[in-house]
Amino acid sequence: MGREVLPGLHWFYEPGPDRLEMVTDGRSAPDWYEPGSAVRIPQCSYLFDGERSLLFDTLSPASREQILADLDDALDGGSLDYLVVSHPDVPHAGNASAILDEYDDITLVAPRYGNAHDLYHLDEAMHIGEGDEIDLGRFTVAFHEATFLDAPISLWMTERTHEMLLPVDWMGFPHHDADRLTCVDELDYDLTLDQLVEFHGRVLFWHQYVNVEKVQREIRQVVETYDPELVLPTHGLVIRERTTEYLELMTDVVAEIERRDRVGALGG
Ligand SMILES: [Fe+2]
């Protein structure tokens, strides 16, 4: 299942299991939640299709046939030139070999950060990081050391012509089943602190052990450095309006996770 967010920018979406326990977990349902709805924390991947094409992340193996079909549709018989894996976790890199098998002359691109790349079959990949760019014609993508991450081999990506930030696991959030492939500005509710807390407290669980002020400083630094128009998260919905406001909301998220002590783990 995919959506073309901008000409040449395709958003692929895998819903994952129902995360209902996240909103019914021994407390009253949060304001954003509509009773009866399934709750999704998706896997997302993004295709940048210019004169050359680049796929950022691969979804999980549960969506293997789907992503191959979606890619084929979006590329309309064209080739895929680059496959970027943000980090080696299964929901991000699980279809890398299937996609590499499907296209001739495709280049696998992996973070140069961390080590033991051979463990994940990334030793033969093109290794990139801060300062590296790929010109795709319609889009130019640049790579960055991830500010907030959950694996040593990780990277973030930006896109220069439309000022996009792809912060991978950071800025994820649960949402209703009906909100699949819906941009945040199209929802009939505002993205809430609670949604961001639920995700970051459980999935990026290191948030429970941080120096809050230090992380808040880093968040402000991210906003200042990247100042994006669009945020494309891999476990949330595309943000294309009020972007700075939502990024700055993350400073409250860190404080709230500390206040709540322990948000919980991710079941399912
Ligand atoms: Fe992830």
Side-chain angles (χ1 to χ4, degrees), residues 70 98 112 195:
D70 286 348
R112 68 168 183 244
Q195 283 165 285

Side-chain angles (χ1 to χ4, degrees), residues 87 92 150 169 235:
H87 61 303
H92 299 265
D150 72 348
D169 283 351
H235 300 298

Side-chain angles (χ1 to χ4, degrees), residues 3-11 47-49 138-139 159 161-164 183 229-230 232 238 240:
R3 171 175 174 183
E4 194 168 10
V5 181
L6 291 171
L9 170 63
H10 299 261
W11 175 13
L47 172 69
F48 296 83
D49 190 15
R138 180 185 273 174
F139 303 104
E159 194 287 320
T161 56
H162 296 79
E163 298 179 34
M164 307 182 206
C183 295
E229 291 292 318
L230 279 87
L232 313 178
V238 168
R240 53 182 190 179

Side-chain angles (χ1 to χ4, degrees), residues 108-133:
L108 176 64
V109 180
R112 68 168 183 244
Y113 305 103
N115 49 36
H117 287 67
D118 53 336
L119 214 59
Y120 305 104
H121 306 288
L122 295 175
D123 44 337
E124 306 268 293
M126 171 179 161
H127 292 167
I128 41 84
E130 198 68 55
D132 293 321
E133 285 190 5

Side-chain angles (χ1 to χ4, degrees), residues 224-236:
E224 204 170 297
T225 305
Y226 299 110
D227 191 23
E229 291 292 318
L230 279 87
V231 172
L232 313 178
T234 51
H235 300 298

